[in-house]
């Protein structure tokens, strides 16, 4: 008997996932058509208004008409940005050897602030905290090595995998958060203060990161859609199943995307008020993206999965949005000559720029800058990384 | 309308015939029946959206690619493995010992290892095809295959003669 025959003998419940797929597809296509018609109507109105008013004003930096957006086409990142690289605070090049090289132990020689942490993701498999090192790249240009056992973690809480062991730097690069199988650990770099945050109900936390408002959010391994948000004192501030993507800015606003049916972005103010912004996408649905912590009004969109995937290796598209009254309006579009996935969109250092990691390039897409795409660093694609966005200088 | 109806009929005929197979593959990769159904349902909806061009090509391969890439995206996003020494709950096993052993053994592998095994040995894809779907190099596929098989032999020695390492 062959392996495949054995697999066929595994009994599974009968599925009926094909039921309704056709109708669901038609609904999606209708929504998209509606969006296109709406955008066309806007264009007609704009053209009519221009014709009535005479010559248009000089071009503004932001184009608010979705039909006029972009495209900024890129199939490869340029790599001739030495000026930006030297001033970005990021190391110009990080290889696996760099990360494995001996560096002073963080717990022997602490640093104030880091711009990047990196670790060899493939080393996480089936090892323990004694073997696990994470390299911190300080803003002073020095590197430090954190051996995870220095945090007082025990082997029974080891989460032995890929990038989950890497943790995430806070936007200001002064703290680092990390999930074990049992708790959340926050390390303050300057004085090595370690705070251990409990996880409710004995759940297993995963992918702990910063909200932008100084709180921490993490997922729960046992439930795909449950997220928990906590203050640094361990009190849970929010717990629930997000409808889609959720972001939080520094002022405490929560951004939730309703991408499936309503095509709206809900912004919850700290006081409880809620603003609902509509958006329309002429060529797809919202995918993973990012929100700029201080800018509040922009995020990016990954449309690659839905519209262009049919072309096999197809293109992806990123969009940058801004808020105009009660709408979100695309202001720039990046057509990608390769597949770009959501987890390659690292974040938004400013309200009109996006940090992207693709292959070995860590680059900035700033569509309204003189050079729209600028590479800041080369980082081995075998390394997991986390970036302190506020510390990356992009001027 | 008539063309659309024919499209719907051919899509539904194709999807109904293949859904169980797709879910089986997705389940073997995820170890979670509910998640497997979600992955397949999303892939089928996308297939229906472009059925006009897809049905005359290779829709099976396309859907399989969507399923696996979505799963890869998910595991990269979540970046964790739930390693367990128990077979997944909520599924039914036949009385035969070997299928139960396969199920339990796959549950003990990491996402990466499980995906490589499912693609290479169950979907019977080449190293190049597997690498393309997983978005890694051929060398990585070879290495992961080797590691996965070694682990499989270690935790389920009875399966050794059923799975031969391929170059």
């Amino acid at each position: 008997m062959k392996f495949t025959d054995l697999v066929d003998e595994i009994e599974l419940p009968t599925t009926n996932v094909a039921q309704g797929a056709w109708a669901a597809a038609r609904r999606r296509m209708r929504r998209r058509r509606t969006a296109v018609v709406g955008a066309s109507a806007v264009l007609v109105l704009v053209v009519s208004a221009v014709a009535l008013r005479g010559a248009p004003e000089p071009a503004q930096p932001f184009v608010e008409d979705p039909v006029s957006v972009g495209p900024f086409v890129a199939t490869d990142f340029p790599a001739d940005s030495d000026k930006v690289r030297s001033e970005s605070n990021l190391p110009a090049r990080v290889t696996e050897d760099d990360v494995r090289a001996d560096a002073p132990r963080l717990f022997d020689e602490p640093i104030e602030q880091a711009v990047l942490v990196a670790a060899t993701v493939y080393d996480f498999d089936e090892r323990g905290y004694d073997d696990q090192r994470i390299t911190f790249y300080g803003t002073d240009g020095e590197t430090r090595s954190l051996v995870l056992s220095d945090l007082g973690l025990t082997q029974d809480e080891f989460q032995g995998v890929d990038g989950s062991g890497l943790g995430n730097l806070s936007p200001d690069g002064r703290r680092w958060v990390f999930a074990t199988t049992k708790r959340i650990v926050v390390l303050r770099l300057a004085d090595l203060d370690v705070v251990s945050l409990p996880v409710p109900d004995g759940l297993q936390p995963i992918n702990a990161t910063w909200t932008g408002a100084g709180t921490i959010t993490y997922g729960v391994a046992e439930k795909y859609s449950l997220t928990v948000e906590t203050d640094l004192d361990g009190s849970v501030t929010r717990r629930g199943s997000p409808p889609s993507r959720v972001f939080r800015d520094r002022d405490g606003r929560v951004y939730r995307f309703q991408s499936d049916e309503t095509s709206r972005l809900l912004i919850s103010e700290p006081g409880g008020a809620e603003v609902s912004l509509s958006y329309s996408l002429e060529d797809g649905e919202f995918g993973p993206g990012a929100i700029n912590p201080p800018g509040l009004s922009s995020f990016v969109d990954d449309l690659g999965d839905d519209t262009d995937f049919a072309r096999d290796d197809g293109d992806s598209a990123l969009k940058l949005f801004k808020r105009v009254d009660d709408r979100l309006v695309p202001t720039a579009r990046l057509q990608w000559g390769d597949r770009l996935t959501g987890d390659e969109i690292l974040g938004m250092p400013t309200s009109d720029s996006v940090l992207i990691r693709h292959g070995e390039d860590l680059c900035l897409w700033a569509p309204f800058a003189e050079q729209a795409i600028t590479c800041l660093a080369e980082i081995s694609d075998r390394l997991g990384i986390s970036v302190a966005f506020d510390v990356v200088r992009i001027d | 309308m008539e063309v659309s109806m024919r499209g719907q009929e051919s899509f539904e005929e194709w999807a109904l015939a293949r859904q169980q197979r797709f879910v089986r593959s997705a389940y073997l990769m995820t170890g979670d029946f509910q998640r497997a159904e979600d992955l397949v349902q999303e892939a089928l909806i996308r297939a229906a959206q472009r059925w006009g061009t897809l049905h005359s090509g290779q829709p099976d391969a396309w859907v399989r690619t969507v399923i696996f890439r979505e799963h890869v995206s998910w595991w990269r996003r979540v970046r964790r493995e739930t390693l367990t020494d128990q077979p997944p709950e909520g599924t039914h096993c036949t009385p035969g010992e070997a299928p139960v052993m396969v199920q339990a053994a796959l549950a003990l592998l990491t996402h990466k290892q499980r995906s490589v095994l499912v693609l290479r040995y169950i979907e019977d894809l080449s190293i190049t095809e597997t690498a393309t779907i997983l978005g890694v190099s051929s060398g990585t596929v070879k290495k992961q295959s080797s590691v996965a098989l070694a682990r499989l032999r270690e935790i389920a020695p009875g399966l050794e003669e059923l799975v031969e390492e391929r170059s």
Side-chain angles (χ1 to χ4, degrees):
Chain A
M1 182 178 282
K2 290 180 178 177
F3 189 58
T4 48
D5 297 331
L6 280 180
V7 167
D8 286 338
E9 286 189 21
I10 296 173
E11 285 190 11
L12 293 175
T14 302
T15 189
N16 198 21
V17 288
Q19 182 76 35
W22 183 267
R26 296 304 104 179
R27 282 197 299 274
R28 286 189 184 180
M29 292 166 75
R30 273 198 298 275
R31 282 203 302 275
R32 191 172 306 162
R33 276 192 218 109
T34 303
V36 171
V37 169
S40 303
V42 169
L43 177 63
V44 169
L45 288 172
V46 168
V47 170
S48 302
V50 167
L52 287 172
R53 286 185 179 182
E57 295 293 317
Q60 298 297 310
F62 282 91
V63 182
E64 296 184 358
D65 180 348
V67 180
S68 306
V69 168
F72 296 89
V73 180
T75 53
D76 289 302
F77 286 126
D80 55 353
S81 308
D82 291 340
K83 176 176 178 294
V84 177
R85 277 185 181 172
S86 64
E87 296 174 355
S88 69
N89 268 336
L90 285 163
R93 190 161 180 266
V94 182
T95 66
E96 277 187 281
D97 288 343
D98 295 333
V99 169
R100 289 201 172 106
D102 285 335
R105 219 157 158 152
L106 182 67
F107 269 65
D108 292 334
E109 298 179 33
I111 52 176
E112 286 278 331
Q113 194 178 27
V115 64
L116 176 82
V117 294
T120 51
V121 292
Y122 296 99
D123 281 352
F124 281 79
D125 289 333
E126 300 165 30
R127 292 193 183 190
Y129 286 135
D130 286 339
D131 297 318
Q132 191 56 66
R133 291 164 187 270
I134 294 175
T135 303
F136 285 67
Y137 287 82
T139 51
D140 58 1
E142 300 295 324
T143 58
R144 297 286 187 275
S145 179
L146 171 65
V147 180
L148 289 177
S149 54
D150 285 347
L151 294 165
L153 305 177
T154 56
Q155 187 61 32
D156 65 332
E157 56 184 318
F158 178 62
Q159 221 170 175
V161 286
D162 287 3
S164 68
L166 184 67
N168 278 295
L169 281 173
S170 59
D172 67 3
R174 297 181 187 279
R175 294 173 195 260
W176 170 81
V177 65
F178 174 76
T180 77
T181 58
K182 296 178 178 174
R183 55 184 165 144
I184 301 293
V185 175
V186 181
L187 171 69
R188 190 162 57 204
L189 302 185
D191 58 7
L192 302 173
D193 177 48
V194 177
V195 176
S196 182
L197 305 177
V199 175
D201 304 331
L203 295 169
Q204 180 181 337
I206 53 174
N207 202 24
T209 191
W210 302 85
T211 63
T215 54
I216 289 165
T217 184
Y218 54 89
V220 173
E222 293 86 345
K223 302 173 191 241
Y224 291 116
S225 58
L226 176 64
T227 59
V228 179
E229 186 175 328
T230 174
D231 284 329
L232 291 183
D233 65 3
S235 56
V236 172
T237 56
R238 186 175 168 277
R239 182 178 177 178
S241 301
S244 182
R245 304 285 295 178
V246 177
F247 301 94
R248 176 168 288 222
D249 68 33
R250 288 175 186 167
D251 296 329
R253 294 183 186 87
V254 180
Y255 298 75
R256 286 175 292 150
F257 294 115
Q258 305 271 17
S259 59
D260 290 339
E261 297 295 333
T262 61
S263 297
R264 299 188 84 78
L265 171 66
L266 302 177
I267 305 176
S268 301
E269 299 286 345
E274 194 164 78
V275 178
S276 173
L277 305 181
S278 65
Y279 59 80
S280 61
L281 300 169
E282 70 273 28
D283 53 0
E285 296 185 2
F286 266 98
I291 267 193
N292 166 41
L296 316 183
S297 59
S298 302
F299 56 94
V300 292
D301 178 28
D302 172 9
L303 303 174
D305 287 353
D306 203 55
T307 55
D308 299 313
F309 196 34
R311 301 177 213 154
D312 292 331
D313 290 331
D315 296 346
S316 299
L318 270 177
K319 283 188 175 183
L320 193 63
F321 290 78
K322 67 175 289 194
R323 179 178 174 176
V324 177
D325 300 325
D326 62 348
R327 293 183 303 138
L328 287 173
V329 180
T331 57
R333 174 192 174 92
L334 177 62
Q335 189 75 32
W336 207 262
D338 193 0
R339 183 179 162 77
L340 188 68
T341 62
D343 51 332
E344 292 175 315
I345 304 165
L346 298 186
M348 300 181 64
T350 68
S351 63
D352 57 1
S353 67
V354 184
L355 203 57
I356 300 168
R357 186 184 186 198
H358 189 65
E360 301 215 329
D361 294 314
L362 179 62
C363 298
L364 188 76
W365 176 47
F368 306 105
E370 188 176 341
Q371 188 174 12
I373 298 178
T374 308
C375 290
L376 307 179
E378 290 175 13
I379 297 176
S380 165
D381 60 5
R382 292 177 64 84
L383 294 174
I385 63 166
S386 171
V387 177
F389 297 110
D390 290 359
V391 186
V392 178
R393 292 174 54 190
I394 58 173
D395 296 335
Chain B
M1 177 65 84
E2 193 180 336
V3 172
S4 175
M5 284 304 294
R6 279 206 300 269
Q8 180 175 358
E9 283 173 15
S10 68
F11 169 80
E12 289 180 342
E13 184 183 349
W14 166 83
L16 287 170
R18 280 152 178 87
Q19 59 179 354
Q20 197 69 31
R21 179 76 199 175
F22 287 146
V23 168
R24 178 176 297 276
S25 292
Y27 167 75
L28 290 169
M29 192 172 49
T30 62
D32 181 326
F33 186 76
Q34 186 68 49
R35 170 125 189 97
E37 283 198 313
D38 288 348
L39 283 169
V40 175
Q41 187 173 46
E42 177 62 23
L44 290 178
I45 290 172
R46 292 185 190 182
Q49 284 179 279
R50 44 185 67 85
W51 187 245
T53 54
L54 206 55
H55 80 282
S56 57
Q58 296 181 307
D60 288 39
W62 189 89
V63 165
R64 195 186 300 127
T65 303
V66 172
I67 291 168
F68 279 80
R69 283 194 176 176
E70 278 300 298
H71 179 61
V72 168
S73 294
W74 172 80
W75 110 51
R76 284 180 178 156
R77 198 161 52 240
V78 174
R79 294 185 186 285
R80 68 98 170 96
E81 305 281 355
T82 304
L83 295 178
T84 172
D85 57 1
Q86 298 293 323
E89 294 177 1
T91 55
H92 309 282
C93 298
T94 60
E97 189 182 339
V100 177
M101 198 187 298
V102 170
Q103 200 172 7
L106 286 173
L108 290 168
L109 301 178
T110 66
H111 281 300
K112 253 181 290 187
Q113 293 164 350
R114 208 157 49 224
S115 296
V116 167
L117 275 194
V118 171
L119 287 168
R120 291 277 291 124
Y121 296 96
I122 296 171
E123 295 293 345
D124 210 21
L125 301 185
S126 69
I127 286 177
T128 305
E129 289 168 326
T130 304
T132 302
I133 287 179
L134 295 177
V136 298
S137 69
S138 297
T140 300
V141 170
K142 287 179 188 173
K143 183 182 172 187
Q144 287 291 338
S145 295
S146 185
V147 170
L149 290 175
R151 183 129 197 244
L152 207 56
R153 289 188 193 102
E154 182 187 323
I155 56 185
L159 296 176
E160 186 172 4
E161 58 191 45
L162 297 171
V163 186
E164 293 179 2
E165 195 158 351
R166 303 172 192 175
S167 57

